[in-house]
Amino acid sequence: MRWWDIDPVLTLERELFPEDAWSRGMFWSELAHARGPGATRRYVVAEEPGGRIVGYAGLVASSSEQADVQTIAVARDQWGTGLGSLLLTELLRAATAFECAEVLLECRVDNVRAQKLYERFGFRPVGVRRGYYQPGNVDALVMRLTDPSTSVQGTENNG
């Protein structure tokens, strides 16, 4: 993801997450930490051949021990195509490159589709954050994956 991707990403963000969409400033801040030798973030976009952004994802490496999936989003007309798996695979590759031993994420408790994706990659529930998503006061399921490099190898072998 580059700065010129922010506007189309924001359009998709607001469509998919109307109650708790990220702001332009939040994306700018994340991208500011995604370049150079001290980079701690990895953000990617998926584009159709015509250039329309149909998905994006981001990860932060908070230490050599742990990374956190910040966001994964796929346009509704792309659901079921495997794009979410491709984006998650790219984030897990980044976590491996950052030499992180585990990856954490929060997922809305009512987002069963996303939970199933994460479970296929080996993420397991480890807790709940009450009222995490605001303003809707929706709980977040906290999920953890140990050894992301193993999960990435498994997805490459299984297609």
Side-chain angles (χ1 to χ4, degrees), residues 69-137:
V69 172
Q70 299 295 92
T71 186
I72 294 183
V74 173
R76 284 188 179 91
D77 66 338
Q78 299 294 309
W79 288 3
T81 66
L83 182 54
S85 292
L86 291 173
L87 291 167
L88 183 55
T89 297
E90 190 60 32
L91 294 186
L92 296 179
R93 283 188 183 125
T96 301
F98 283 128
E99 299 180 350
C100 296
E102 69 178 10
V103 179
L104 294 172
L105 60 81
E106 290 89 14
C107 180
R108 288 175 64 108
V109 294
D110 58 359
N111 191 345
V112 176
R113 173 186 289 273
Q115 290 170 34
K116 287 182 179 182
L117 168 66
Y118 302 138
E119 288 170 357
R120 283 197 311 270
F121 278 77
F123 282 86
R124 298 293 173 249
V126 294
V128 174
R129 293 181 197 239
R130 302 279 176 218
Y132 183 80
Y133 292 99
Q134 295 297 327
N137 201 37

Side-chain angles (χ1 to χ4, degrees), residues 30 33 38-42 59-70 94-95 98-106 129:
E30 290 297 295
H33 300 284
T40 57
R41 313 288 199 275
R42 175 79 170 133
L59 173 126
V60 59
S62 50
S63 71
S64 62
E65 295 295 316
Q66 181 178 309
D68 293 281
V69 172
Q70 299 295 92
F98 283 128
E99 299 180 350
C100 296
E102 69 178 10
V103 179
L104 294 172
L105 60 81
E106 290 89 14
R129 293 181 197 239

